[in-house]
């Protein structure tokens, strides 16, 4: 009999069905994945298994058992006997999923205290053992540290350690690698795979098909609370039956060469859903050369719009020690081209970007921005020496789009007011009728319309917000846009639409992009040239195809090797040349 | 917080006390009426102009303002708060005699307020509309009740009607109950609201779900994880609360006819007994500064993220990080 057996699970919140009619089983030693985009009900399904669906949830199922226990009839007290000791739960993003003011060792200790009868000394010993088990180096030191003192990877390991402290038979991991750098992500996936090989059952929740292909033998693809496709991971990826699965696979930027569209069949407009993907042929998994759409990238590269010369930035830490976060970085960005900046967290990507757009002053070196005066004549200014008036003019030429557009909008402003402010402050439109006409033009350029003028950011979806952010950036008719992780918070299908839109905008306006991302798949898809940063230094830069096809530096090779790809050979970690071997 | 930072805070505290002293000095100067009259027993005593002139010379009131100010500061610096005009005894002695009752009252009230607030907040955070709404309404009522009215209400119920507790005096513990409650209830209500809203915010956090997923009971989650976080905003509130307590004693001590600084202050203001007024104001400023200094020192204990990294720890962490980097790199490249 299966360890977990769910039949016709339905979860609703105040009449709205978040999960409809979902059925699946998990056997001991088996990895099962639930894949879907945000709002698909995948996390709700997972939480239902430990009775933490949330306030106001109405859960119904024909059958929901764990090791023969009927989960639909459990009281709170009985749930506590299952949580932690029989089912371990690893939440997304360990930074917020671990108590920020307790040392990680105490979190693991708490799990031991709840689910075992061990004495204090014995527990202390187990905490160190568990941290060692999940691959945390110097466990004695790490146990005493706060989550904020650990790197993302170590935090995630500590969280996993606290989840397996009660030696549960089932481990549930909700987006276990989403916030992590690509190399760390690969290590966490190996760890999960390893824990599964100990005989535990594993349920992984993810939006990332590539991640799933590494740890799950079987998968369920869910959309709007319903299972649209289920089966053997290898079989599903090799021959996806449902159009939605195919669209998800097609939308992965890492699998597509630059200049191809990620939303097949779509024109320059945008597709509100993935229905437009009907009939698209399954995409071959080869990472290069798969040109399956019309090339839209207008490769006209023009004059230099920004130049960084030997830029460095030092920060003094709380301990009084000065650290160089950006070290002697030089590059040029030309009109109509995209320069990608990649690196792991802490590599100085964001600081470099902030220096280029004049938000941060470099400690050494200079940044030149080539702008246009009001009479159209080009002018070149160094942020450091430009006069106040010149700086204001430069700000128009340089715009920024952030990862989370919501926090970069005033929540009380309507979309119309956001755009009107950008237009009037930059002097691009003055009369109120002109502002309105131009606002609508801008919205149409990003695939929205006049009906969105009166909306407020909170009532827009993530993808629509990012479109408004793009429209706002375009309002000042900039020559350079800094994009700092612009699609990292978006679902893969929405991400595909936004990336397509960015390509269209560049083709139409000739704006230059400085594109910062930790996601090498995205970078390889959008960039003409790339800058690889490590510890603030440029370890490699050049044409994207050269760098990605023939990486010279060991670090670049490492990054590229760690990109999770959907593996045609199956789910076993380390099977492909790209995956890290243990 | 290291020694240098404590030093800076202390210096800032001295600055606050100096500011308070200066402001009160100026306030006395612009108050209508001649302090010399107060010294000789008020206008009713009808002193002769010669007597007034003599007193003015004796106390230095005929000197330029700046000279008076400098002399005043000089006396303060050596701990001399002057002599009470009305009682003709040193202000330090007057305050010393009165401070005990007030410390007792304020201390018990503060403790009562804190315990009530914590208990109510922990039990009512994220509960159903009846429990939570009921608690909120009572808190709103208490927080907006003037303390003299609340005191009279408590007196009429527990003292006059039920005869459970005495209505006046400093006699024993029983006499302390009603005044302390009068002082504590509005403060408890405000604290409990702050505490509950921060507790509710914490209980929404993902790490609380993690703790529940570990099998922790609801009570354990609230107390072990929730309360610890809520103590941080509570500590910040303590500074304001101290101000409220000191102000409240003036009313409560008068209402319950208790000996204490509050009543002394009231009497001194009425009699224009400025040295005593100045003394109480300065003492309040010092208490305020000290309490806030203690709160500042408490933050890193409540929230270890605020601990400054000492050089040794930093080195240890860096070394360990380097170790990690190597290990992780090796894992990847192996």
């Amino acid at each position: 009999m299966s360890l977990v057996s769910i039949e016709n699970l339905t979860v609703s919140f105040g009449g709205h069905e978040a999960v409809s009619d979902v059925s699946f089983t998990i056997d001991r030693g088996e990895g099962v994945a639930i894949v879907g985009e945000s709002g698909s009900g995948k996390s709700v399904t997972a939480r239902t298994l430990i009775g933490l669906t949330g306030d106001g949830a109405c859960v119904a199922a024909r059958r929901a058992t764990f090791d023969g226990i009927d989960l639909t009839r459990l009281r709170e007290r009985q749930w506590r006997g299952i949580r932690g000791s029989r089912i371990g739960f690893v939440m997304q993003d360990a930074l917020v999923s671990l108590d920020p003011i307790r040392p990680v060792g105490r979190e693991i200790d708490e799990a031991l205290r709840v689910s075992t009868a061990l004495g204090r000394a014995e527990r202390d010993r187990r905490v160190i053992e568990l941290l060692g088990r999940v691959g945390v180096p110097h466990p004695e030191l790490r146990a005493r540290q706060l989550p904020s003192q650990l790197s993302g990877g170590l935090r995630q390991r500590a969280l996993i350690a606290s989840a397996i402290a009660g030696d549960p038979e089932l481990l549930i991991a909700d987006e276990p690698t989403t916030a992590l750098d690509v190399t760390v992500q690969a290590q966490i996936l190996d760890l999960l795979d390893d824990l599964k090989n100990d005989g535990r059952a594993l349920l992984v929740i993810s939006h990332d098909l590539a991640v799933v292909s590494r740890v799950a033998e079987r998968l369920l693809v869910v959309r709007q609370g319903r299972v649209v496709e289920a089966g053997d991971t290898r079989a599903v990826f090799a021959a996806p039956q449902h159009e939605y699965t195919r669209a998800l696979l097609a939308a992965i930027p890492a699998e597509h060469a630059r200049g191809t569209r990620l939303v097949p069949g779509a024109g320059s407009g945008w597709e509100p859903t993935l229905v437009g993907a009907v009939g698209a042929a399954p995409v071959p998994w080869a990472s290069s050369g798969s040109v399956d759409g019309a090339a839209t990238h207008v490769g006209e590269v023009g004059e230099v719009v920004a130049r960084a010369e030997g830029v460095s930035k030092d920060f003094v830490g709380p301990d009084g020690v000065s650290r160089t976060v950006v070290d002697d970085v030089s590059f040029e960005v030309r009109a109509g081209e995209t320069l990608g900046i990649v690196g792991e967290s802490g590599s100085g990507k964001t600081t470099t970007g902030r220096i280029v757009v004049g938000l941060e002053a470099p400690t050494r070196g200079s940044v030149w921005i080539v702008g246009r005066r009001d009479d159209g004549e080009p002018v070149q200014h160094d942020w450091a020496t430009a006069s106040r008036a010149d700086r204001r003019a430069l700000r128009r030429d340089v715009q920024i789009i952030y990862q989370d557009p919501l926090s970069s909008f005033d929540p009380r402003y309507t979309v119309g007011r956001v755009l009107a402010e950008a237009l009037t402050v930059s002097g691009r439109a003055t009369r109120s009728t002109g502002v309105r006409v131009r606002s609508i033009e801008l919205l149409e350029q990003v695939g929205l319309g006049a009906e969105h003028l009166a909306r407020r950011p909170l009532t827009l979806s993530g993808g629509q917000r990012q479109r408004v952010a793009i429209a706002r950036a375009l309002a000042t008719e900039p020559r350079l846009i800094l994009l700092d992780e612009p699609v990292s918070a978006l679902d893969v299908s929405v991400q595909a639409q936004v990336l397509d839109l960015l390509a269209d905008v560049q083709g139409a306006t000739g704006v230059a992009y400085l594109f910062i991302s930790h996601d090498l798949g995205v970078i390889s898809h959008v960039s003409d040239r790339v800058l690889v940063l490590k510890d603030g230094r440029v370890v490699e830069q050049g044409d994207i195809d050269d760098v990605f096809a023939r990486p010279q530096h060991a670090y670049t090779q490492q990054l590229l090797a760690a990109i999770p790809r959907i593996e045609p050979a199956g789910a076993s970690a380390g099977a492909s040349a790209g995956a890290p071997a243990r | 917080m290291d020694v240098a930072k404590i030093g800076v805070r202390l210096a800032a505290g001295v600055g606050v006390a100096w500011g308070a002293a200066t402001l009160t000095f100026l306030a006395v100067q612009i108050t209508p009426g001649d302090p010399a009259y107060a010294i000789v027993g008020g206008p009713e005593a009808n002193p002769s102009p010669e007597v007034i002139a003599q007193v003015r010379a004796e106390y230095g009131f005929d000197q330029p303002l700046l000279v008076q100010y400098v002399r005043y500061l000089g006396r303060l610096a050596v701990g001399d708060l002057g002599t009470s005009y009305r009682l003709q005894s040193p202000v330090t002695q007057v305050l010393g005699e009165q401070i005990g009752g007030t410390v007792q009252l304020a201390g018990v009230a503060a403790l009562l307020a804190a315990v009530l607030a914590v208990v109510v907040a922990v039990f009512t955070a994220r509960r159903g509309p009846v429990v939570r709404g009921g608690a909120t309404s009572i808190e709103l009522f208490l927080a907006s009740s003037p303390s003299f009215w609340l005191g009279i209400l408590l007196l009429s119920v527990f003292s006059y009607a039920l005869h459970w507790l005495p209505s006046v005096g400093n006699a024993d513990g029983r006499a302390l109950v009603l005044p302390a409650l009068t002082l504590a209830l509005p403060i408890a209500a405000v604290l409990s609201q702050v505490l509950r809203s921060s507790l509710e915010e914490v209980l929404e956090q993902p790490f609380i779900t993690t703790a529940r997923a570990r099998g922790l009971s609801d009570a354990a989650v609230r107390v072990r994880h929730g309360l610890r976080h809520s103590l941080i905003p509570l500590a910040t509130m303590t500074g304001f609360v101290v101000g409220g307590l000191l102000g409240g004693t003036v009313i409560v001590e008068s209402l319950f006819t208790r000996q204490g600084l509050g009543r002394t202050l009231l009497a001194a203001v009425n009699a224009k007994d400025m040295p005593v007024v100045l003394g109480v104001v300065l003492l309040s400023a010092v208490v305020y500064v000290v309490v806030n200094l203690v709160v500042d020192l408490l933050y890193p204990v409540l929230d270890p993220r605020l601990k400054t990294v000492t050089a040794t720890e930093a080195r240890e962490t860096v070394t360990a990080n380097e170790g990690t980097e190597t290990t992780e790199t090796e894992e990847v490249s192996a």
Side-chain angles (χ1 to χ4, degrees):
Chain A
M1 196 184 78
S2 296
L3 182 62
V4 175
S5 175
I6 304 291
E7 281 174 34
N8 306 94
L9 173 73
T10 296
V11 184
S12 52
F13 293 90
H16 165 75
E17 273 190 17
V19 176
S20 312
D21 234 8
V22 167
S23 304
F24 61 96
T25 59
I26 310 172
D27 288 327
R28 287 172 201 276
E30 185 189 34
V32 173
I34 304 182
V35 185
E37 302 192 278
S38 49
S40 61
K42 56 188 193 304
S43 289
V44 174
T45 307
R47 282 168 168 235
T48 304
L49 291 183
I50 50 165
L52 289 174
T53 323
D55 294 338
C58 177
V59 181
R62 185 135 62 107
R63 179 185 156 88
T65 58
F66 172 78
D67 197 20
I69 303 165
D70 186 352
L71 295 178
T72 59
R73 292 175 190 282
L74 289 187
R75 296 175 169 283
E76 182 61 22
R77 192 171 191 79
Q78 295 164 309
W79 272 120
R80 293 203 329 248
I82 289 183
R83 291 177 197 149
S85 53
R86 306 206 61 189
I87 304 180
F89 196 87
V90 182
M91 296 234 303
Q92 182 178 358
D93 193 358
L95 181 58
V96 291
S97 296
L98 287 166
D99 194 333
I101 61 173
R102 300 172 104 195
V104 292
R106 279 202 48 209
E107 293 276 86
I108 301 168
D109 180 69
E110 182 177 82
L112 287 169
R113 198 163 39 184
V114 171
S115 52
T116 65
L118 298 177
R120 191 182 168 154
E122 184 66 12
R123 288 203 311 269
D124 286 348
R125 208 177 53 72
R126 278 291 289 158
V127 167
I128 307 298
E129 248 176 50
L130 281 162
L131 282 172
R133 170 70 191 87
V134 297
V136 172
H138 309 282
E140 297 83 2
L141 168 68
R142 295 310 185 182
R144 295 198 310 269
Q145 290 187 312
L146 299 173
S148 53
Q149 291 169 310
L150 302 182
S151 67
L154 288 182
R155 275 200 293 267
Q156 195 68 33
R157 285 171 196 266
L159 186 62
I160 293 173
S162 81
I164 60 169
D167 199 17
E169 296 132 272
L170 170 66
L171 186 65
I172 304 175
D174 190 354
E175 301 277 5
T177 61
T178 301
L180 301 177
D181 284 329
V182 56
T183 51
V184 184
Q185 182 176 344
Q187 294 160 19
I188 296 294
L189 290 176
D190 284 347
L191 171 62
L192 288 175
D193 201 48
D194 202 23
L195 291 171
K196 183 183 72 185
N197 293 339
D198 282 356
R200 276 189 196 86
L202 179 68
L203 176 65
V204 173
I205 312 299
S206 184
H207 69 282
D208 190 333
L209 291 157
V211 163
V212 162
S213 75
R214 292 276 306 276
V215 289
E217 284 90 35
R218 287 192 301 120
L219 67 80
L220 289 85
V221 181
V222 291
R223 184 189 187 202
Q224 290 167 7
R226 293 185 179 277
V227 177
V228 297
E229 184 156 2
D232 182 75
T233 308
R234 218 179 302 183
V236 170
F237 285 159
Q241 298 301 306
H242 196 275
E243 63 193 53
Y244 180 69
T245 316
R246 287 200 288 266
L248 277 183
L249 288 166
I252 302 173
E255 310 287 332
H256 298 274
R258 188 160 43 94
T260 60
R261 299 201 68 82
L262 296 168
V263 184
S268 58
W270 68 295
E271 294 295 318
T273 64
L274 280 164
V275 177
V278 185
V283 173
W285 310 132
S287 63
S288 59
S290 63
V291 180
D292 64 333
T296 56
H297 199 85
V298 181
E300 274 177 41
V301 172
E303 54 181 349
V304 173
V305 293
R307 195 168 70 241
E309 289 173 354
V311 166
S312 299
K313 180 76 185 176
D314 299 340
F315 281 116
V316 178
D319 50 350
V321 179
S322 170
R323 288 181 186 79
T324 304
V325 292
V326 177
D327 195 358
D328 196 21
V329 172
S330 302
F331 57 86
E332 281 180 356
V333 193
R334 290 173 177 275
E337 79 162 352
T338 301
L339 174 64
I341 301 186
V342 282
E344 307 203 306
S345 43
S347 60
K349 310 187 289 287
T350 293
T351 310
T352 305
R354 287 173 61 84
I355 291 171
V356 171
V357 298
L359 288 175
E360 199 99 59
T363 315
R364 290 175 296 283
S366 56
V367 174
W368 294 88
I369 300 290
V370 185
R372 285 208 187 271
R373 286 208 309 259
D374 289 337
D375 55 15
E377 283 300 301
V379 282
Q380 176 170 314
H381 285 295
D382 177 0
W383 282 114
T385 56
S387 69
R388 194 177 276 261
D390 287 337
R391 275 170 168 268
R392 285 192 54 177
L394 283 182
R395 299 239 180 262
R396 250 186 351 206
D397 291 317
V398 178
Q399 289 293 306
I400 311 169
I401 295 171
Y402 294 103
Q403 173 174 356
D404 175 18
L406 186 57
S407 55
S408 67
F409 291 130
D410 187 326
R412 289 162 184 274
Y413 276 33
T414 60
V415 169
R417 203 168 156 198
V418 166
L419 295 177
E421 186 183 57
L423 285 167
T424 48
V425 166
S426 63
R428 296 301 189 197
T430 42
R431 305 259 295 282
S432 63
T433 49
V435 167
R436 191 179 152 79
V437 168
R438 185 74 187 113
S439 298
I440 295 172
E441 273 174 25
L442 285 167
L443 284 177
E444 283 170 353
Q445 196 174 359
V446 298
L448 301 174
E451 69 273 18
H452 294 99
L453 279 176
R455 301 274 290 276
R456 283 174 213 281
L458 269 174
T459 67
L460 298 173
S461 70
Q464 286 173 327
R465 280 178 205 147
Q466 205 56 293
R467 284 168 192 274
V468 174
I470 295 170
R472 175 173 62 180
L474 293 175
T476 68
E477 295 162 32
R479 297 163 58 80
L480 172 68
I481 299 180
L482 168 66
L483 298 125
D484 195 347
E485 304 274 4
V487 293
S488 303
L490 302 176
D491 280 328
V492 61
S493 64
V494 182
Q495 168 177 312
Q497 294 161 11
V498 171
L499 291 179
D500 283 352
L501 170 65
L502 286 171
D504 292 342
V505 165
Q506 191 171 49
T509 62
V511 66
Y513 291 146
L514 190 58
F515 199 110
I516 295 174
S517 183
H518 72 283
D519 187 332
L520 283 93
V522 169
I523 287 286
S524 76
H525 181 77
V526 300
S527 307
D528 299 293
R529 288 186 303 120
V530 68
L531 209 66
V532 184
L533 283 185
K534 182 180 196 299
D535 302 330
R537 287 176 169 278
V538 178
V539 296
E540 188 155 0
Q541 73 171 308
D543 185 79
I544 185 81
D545 295 332
D546 287 346
V547 171
F548 275 44
R550 290 170 293 280
Q552 299 300 311
H553 195 276
Y555 178 69
T556 318
Q557 290 163 3
Q558 225 181 75
L559 281 180
L560 289 170
I563 300 178
R565 290 187 189 282
I566 292 171
E567 291 159 18
S572 68
S576 85
R582 267 174 296 125
Chain B
M1 201 184 275
D2 51 41
V3 181
K5 280 190 182 154
I6 295 175
V8 170
R9 292 289 314 189
L10 276 175
V14 171
V16 170
W18 170 69
T22 307
L23 281 178
T24 10
F25 178 79
L26 289 174
V28 171
Q29 298 308 318
I30 58 172
T31 327
D34 194 329
Y37 283 94
I39 292 166
V40 294
E44 305 81 41
N46 203 9
S48 65
E50 293 75 35
V51 173
I52 292 297
Q54 191 192 337
V55 169
R56 290 175 67 89
E58 195 179 322
Y59 281 84
F61 295 151
D62 52 350
Q63 299 289 317
L65 210 55
L66 200 63
V67 175
Q68 289 188 45
Y69 175 64
V70 171
R71 282 187 184 169
Y72 162 69
L73 285 187
R75 285 199 303 274
L76 284 188
V78 295
D80 178 8
L81 294 174
T83 307
S84 164
Y85 301 159
R86 189 170 56 103
L87 305 169
Q88 298 299 330
S89 53
V91 172
T92 40
Q93 188 192 328
V94 175
L95 297 186
E97 284 162 5
Q98 300 295 334
I99 199 167
T102 301
V103 166
Q104 204 181 33
L105 174 63
V108 170
L111 199 67
L112 208 61
V115 171
L116 274 175
V118 167
V119 170
V120 171
V122 167
F123 272 97
T124 58
R126 275 174 66 88
R127 295 276 191 229
V130 178
V131 172
R132 198 185 175 284
T136 317
S137 311
I138 295 170
E139 283 160 7
L140 195 61
F141 170 76
L142 288 174
S144 47
S145 307
S147 50
F148 67 87
W149 182 82
L150 195 63
I152 291 168
L153 191 75
L154 290 173
L155 271 179
S156 16
V157 175
F158 295 103
S159 192
Y160 306 143
L162 298 171
H163 299 287
W164 287 356
L165 295 160
S167 63
V168 293
N170 290 40
D172 54 5
R174 289 178 62 233
L176 192 62
V177 175
L178 288 183
L181 266 181
T182 309
L183 203 52
L185 283 177
I187 293 170
V190 174
L191 286 185
S192 156
Q193 284 182 328
V194 171
L195 205 53
R196 181 170 48 241
S197 82
S198 75
L199 200 55
E200 282 175 348
E201 204 176 295
V202 174
L203 292 176
E204 293 279 330
Q205 298 293 313
F207 67 84
I208 293 293
T209 311
T210 306
R212 289 191 205 281
R214 230 169 251 159
L216 230 60
S217 69
D218 187 53
V221 165
R222 278 166 190 269
V223 174
R224 274 196 230 148
H225 289 271
L227 197 56
R228 175 91 190 270
H229 284 260
S230 317
L231 288 179
I232 299 161
L234 190 72
T236 312
M237 284 292 290
T238 310
F240 301 97
V241 167
V242 170
L245 278 174
L246 292 173
T249 54
V250 175
I251 291 157
V252 172
E253 285 175 1
S254 306
L255 190 66
F256 291 91
T257 346
R258 282 177 62 87
Q259 297 278 307
L261 286 181
R263 241 174 104 209
T264 309
L265 177 65
L266 196 65
V269 168
N270 284 334
K272 274 201 176 301
D273 190 354
M274 284 313 159
V276 173
V277 175
L278 287 173
V280 175
V281 169
L282 273 179
L283 185 66
S284 306
V286 169
V287 168
Y288 204 83
V289 166
V290 169
V291 166
N292 280 291
L293 180 64
V294 170
V295 169
D296 273 0
L297 294 175
L298 216 59
Y299 277 131
V301 180
L302 294 175
D303 186 348
R305 283 170 298 183
L306 300 175
K307 268 188 195 133
T308 40
V309 185
T310 64
T312 341
E313 275 172 359
R315 227 172 296 131
E316 204 178 6
T317 313
V318 167
T319 323
N321 271 329
E322 278 161 4
T324 318
E325 293 270 320
T326 328
T327 324
E328 293 190 348
T329 314
E330 278 165 7
E331 272 177 43
V332 172
S333 52

